[in-house]
Amino acid sequence: MGTKRIGIMQPYFFPYIGYFHLISAVDVFVIYDNVKYTKRGWINRNRFLEQGAASTFSVPVKKASDSLNIDQREVADSFDRQKLLRRLSQAYRKAPQFDTTFALVRDAVLHSNSNLYDYIENSLRCLLEYLSIEKTILRSSSVEIDHSLRGQDKVIAICSALDATSYVNAIGGTELYDTDHFQDHAIELRFVESHLRVYEQFDQPFVPWLSILDMLMFNPVNVVRADALEGYSLIPKPAAVV
């Protein structure tokens, strides 16, 4: 039996390059849609370059019960899509790749679907198409498991249901998972370690790990695609520091 790598992550709005490293590292990428929406997370917001510093842009979410899952939340009626576009345009209008990148941004931001999950997934698919990265993308709710499971038990259940031989996670999640527990289920555990790529940002000090939109504004799409496909290492869980 061949290797089948699975990655699982929440949906993020115009995420940073590390999110695309994770997608590139796996055969099937599962996006959590039936987990709780977290207000302080990165689901509906990210960072961009504004006047030489990192600033946050976001999609406002309609007020609702905290018990609702991501796919049950709605984009706020007050969301001014044109205002967001103006802000991004003002920040990047002098960037070398502005015209082509902003056309992509405009299409994604103006997407009319009010469901939060659908809106964010559409922006991700727009980016993947633009980068010519073809991957199998699944919603977690479409995988037949016991969805009351939590944490790594839910991850293992999804991996087992999809016949995974390896689970790949972002490097920031190393403390959440136990290598031996995955091995007990015949699943290899690996982490994506992103390599920092420095590029010119208006002749100002470099601000790293912004939304991929920043990379696309300053670099040709083929350069960003190459980074998304190759700019990372797959490593085992780092040893605990004593």
Side-chain angles (χ1 to χ4, degrees):
M1 183 175 68
T3 299
K4 185 177 183 181
R5 291 174 175 154
I6 303 294
I8 309 172
M9 187 61 65
Q10 290 183 338
Y12 292 146
F13 188 53
F14 291 139
Y16 85 121
I17 188 65
Y19 197 91
F20 295 88
H21 290 156
L22 178 58
I23 293 175
S24 297
V26 300
D27 300 298
V28 178
F29 187 66
V30 179
I31 307 177
Y32 276 133
D33 62 333
N34 59 344
V35 297
K36 298 293 183 288
Y37 166 75
T38 52
K39 294 179 180 178
R40 296 183 180 180
W42 293 95
I43 293 171
N44 58 308
R45 65 190 183 98
N46 221 291
R47 302 189 310 148
F48 73 115
L49 189 69
E50 190 171 41
Q51 298 181 352
S55 294
T56 301
F57 63 88
S58 63
V59 175
V61 178
K62 187 178 295 186
K63 291 183 179 180
S65 170
D66 290 340
S67 66
L68 295 181
N69 292 332
I70 298 170
D71 63 350
Q72 296 172 314
R73 302 303 296 262
E74 297 289 321
V75 175
D77 296 333
S78 61
F79 179 31
D80 189 336
R81 289 166 169 79
Q82 293 294 344
K83 183 178 180 180
L84 174 57
L85 289 174
R86 287 193 298 271
R87 190 178 177 199
L88 293 172
S89 175
Q90 184 174 6
Y92 288 111
R93 66 183 184 275
K94 294 182 180 179
Q97 306 299 323
F98 173 77
D99 289 341
T100 52
T101 302
F102 192 72
L104 163 73
V105 173
R106 182 174 56 244
D107 288 346
V109 170
L110 294 179
H111 185 58
S112 60
N113 198 312
S114 63
N115 178 272
L116 179 64
Y117 176 87
D118 292 338
Y119 184 81
I120 295 175
E121 185 188 311
N122 175 74
S123 67
L124 176 62
R125 289 186 181 275
C126 286
L127 285 163
L128 291 173
E129 181 178 359
Y130 188 67
L131 293 169
S132 300
I133 297 175
E134 296 183 5
K135 288 290 177 177
T136 299
I137 307 290
L138 300 177
R139 296 170 68 131
S140 59
S141 62
S142 71
V143 184
E144 295 186 3
I145 64 165
D146 177 1
H147 287 283
S148 67
L149 293 170
R150 294 290 182 267
Q152 69 176 358
D153 289 331
K154 187 167 188 174
V155 169
I156 289 172
I158 291 174
C159 288
S160 297
L162 296 175
D163 298 319
T165 58
S166 179
Y167 173 63
V168 182
N169 196 70
I171 193 70
T174 54
E175 298 304 316
L176 301 176
Y177 303 107
D178 179 65
T179 302
D180 292 338
H181 193 38
F182 277 81
Q183 288 179 343
D184 289 343
H185 292 82
I187 300 171
E188 177 188 54
L189 180 62
R190 287 292 181 267
F191 294 89
V192 166
E193 185 175 53
S194 296
H195 305 155
L196 177 63
R197 183 178 180 277
V198 178
Y199 50 90
E200 186 174 305
Q201 295 170 323
F202 297 134
D203 294 322
Q204 296 175 342
F206 181 67
V207 182
W209 308 127
L210 301 177
S211 164
I212 195 172
L213 297 184
D214 189 80
M215 289 191 71
L216 288 168
M217 289 290 184
F218 292 107
N219 299 275
V221 64
N222 64 305
V223 172
V224 181
R225 181 178 190 273
D227 190 290
L229 295 175
E230 304 170 1
Y232 64 91
S233 299
L234 273 184
I235 63 172
K237 181 175 180 176
V241 178
V242 179

